Amino acid sequence: MLDDDGYFGESVAARYDESSAEMFAPDVVDPAVGFLAELAGEGGRALELGVGTGRIALPLARRGVAVHGVELSRAMAERLRAKPGGSAIGVTIGDFATTRVDGTFSLAYLVFNTIMNLTSQDAQADCFRTVAAHLEPGGCFVVEVAVPDLRRLPPGQNAVPFRVDGGRLGFDLYDVATQSVSSHHVEIVDGSGTYLRVPFRYVWPAELDLMARIAGLRLRERWDGWTREPFTGESRQHVSVWEKPTG
C-alpha cells in the first residue's frame, strides 16, 4: 500500500482536486452517487475505502447516507475535513486492506481504480476479507476499476500513453508477468518540470470474483459504468457489486 509521505502526501494532496478535475464534474459524480445511495438504502451506512478528499463521500452524505472513510494519507484526509460538510465524515487513518472500524455497514465501496493502489494480490484479497467483516448480511461491496488495457500493447512494447495535453504527459508501463503497472506523470510549467511515478497492480474481473468468493461474498451484478450499461468484451472499465449472503 502506498505510504502517507510518498505518492499521496502533501505535495499531491494540495493539487489533487485540480489535477483530477474531470473526475469531479457532475456528470461523473452524480451517477456514481445515485448508484451508491440506492445500494446503501434508507438509513444505511457506507464505508469508503480510500476516501481521499471526499469526491464521492461528501455528495453521498448529502443524500442522507452516513459515510465513514478509511484513508492512509493524512494530507488527503485534511483536505476532506476542510471542505463544507467534511467534519461530518468520519475518517480512520490506515491501510484499507486491513484497517478495521467500529460497526457494520450496508455498503462498502472503492472507486476510481483505487483497488489497484494495493500492489500485491495478497493485499487485494485481504481487502475483500476486511470488507466482508464490515458488511452486514445483505450488504454490498462495489468496485469501480479499469479493465487491463493490454490489447493496446503491440508485441515488444510495454508502454501505453494516457495523457498528452500540452505540458502534461502521462504513460503507463506494464509488466505482464507480475500484473504490475506504474503510472508516470510529467508536468512542465514555465519551463520547469515535475515527475511522479505511482505503482499499481492491475486485476482482472474474474480474479476479483475469486477474491470475493474466498471472502464469502458473491457477485450480484457487473456493469460497464455507473449508468448500468452492459459489460462486454469491449468494456474498458467495470462497476462490480458483490453481496454478503443473508443466510
Side-chain angles (χ1 to χ4, degrees):
M1 183 66 185
L2 307 181
D3 63 45
D4 184 23
D5 294 325
Y7 308 107
F8 293 103
E10 178 59 36
S11 62
V12 172
R15 299 185 62 252
Y16 181 79
D17 290 12
E18 176 186 351
S19 64
S20 303
E22 68 277 6
M23 296 302 297
F24 285 78
D27 63 336
V28 175
V29 172
D30 292 350
V33 170
F35 187 107
L36 295 169
E38 179 183 325
L39 284 178
E42 186 175 354
R45 299 180 70 216
L47 179 66
E48 179 169 357
L49 307 181
V51 68
T53 65
R55 181 179 71 95
I56 298 298
L58 288 169
L60 185 59
R62 289 194 290 269
R63 292 283 295 265
V65 178
V67 181
H68 189 94
V70 177
E71 175 58 51
L72 187 63
S73 169
R74 295 182 185 276
M76 298 284 275
E78 287 170 4
R79 293 300 187 287
L80 165 59
R81 294 189 183 105
K83 293 180 178 180
S87 60
I89 308 294
V91 178
T92 298
I93 301 297
D95 180 341
F96 65 72
T98 56
T99 297
R100 299 293 181 95
V101 304
D102 292 336
T104 58
F105 298 83
S106 57
L107 172 70
Y109 62 94
L110 265 169
V111 297
F112 196 15
N113 298 324
T114 305
I115 185 69
M116 296 198 305
N117 288 150
L118 301 173
T119 56
S120 72
Q121 186 183 66
D122 284 346
Q124 291 172 346
D126 285 344
C127 176
F128 274 82
R129 284 190 285 264
T130 298
V131 165
H134 284 101
L135 287 178
E136 60 191 35
C140 292
F141 181 31
V142 180
V143 172
E144 175 196 25
V145 65
V147 174
D149 217 4
L150 302 188
R151 288 195 299 179
R152 297 180 64 191
L153 288 175
Q157 181 174 316
N158 66 346
V160 174
F162 60 83
R163 183 189 295 275
V164 180
D165 180 16
R168 298 178 67 188
L169 306 173
F171 58 94
D172 290 328
L173 290 181
Y174 286 85
D175 183 339
V176 298
T178 62
Q179 290 185 214
S180 62
V181 57
S182 57
S183 288
H184 299 256
H185 304 260
V186 178
E187 185 170 5
I188 301 172
V189 178
D190 297 329
S192 297
T194 60
Y195 169 72
L196 176 68
R197 173 187 176 275
V198 184
F200 300 100
R201 180 185 188 270
Y202 66 79
V203 60
W204 299 98
E207 188 180 7
L208 292 170
D209 290 343
L210 182 57
M211 293 178 186
R213 184 174 181 179
I214 291 169
L217 307 177
R218 61 191 179 198
L219 183 66
R220 172 169 160 174
E221 54 192 278
R222 172 169 290 132
W223 306 100
D224 180 274
W226 295 109
T227 52
R228 292 183 168 88
E229 305 92 341
F231 178 75
T232 72
E234 298 302 314
S235 295
R236 298 184 64 183
Q237 67 284 314
H238 61 98
V239 173
S240 296
V241 182
W242 298 273
E243 63 182 354
K244 185 172 184 175
T246 55

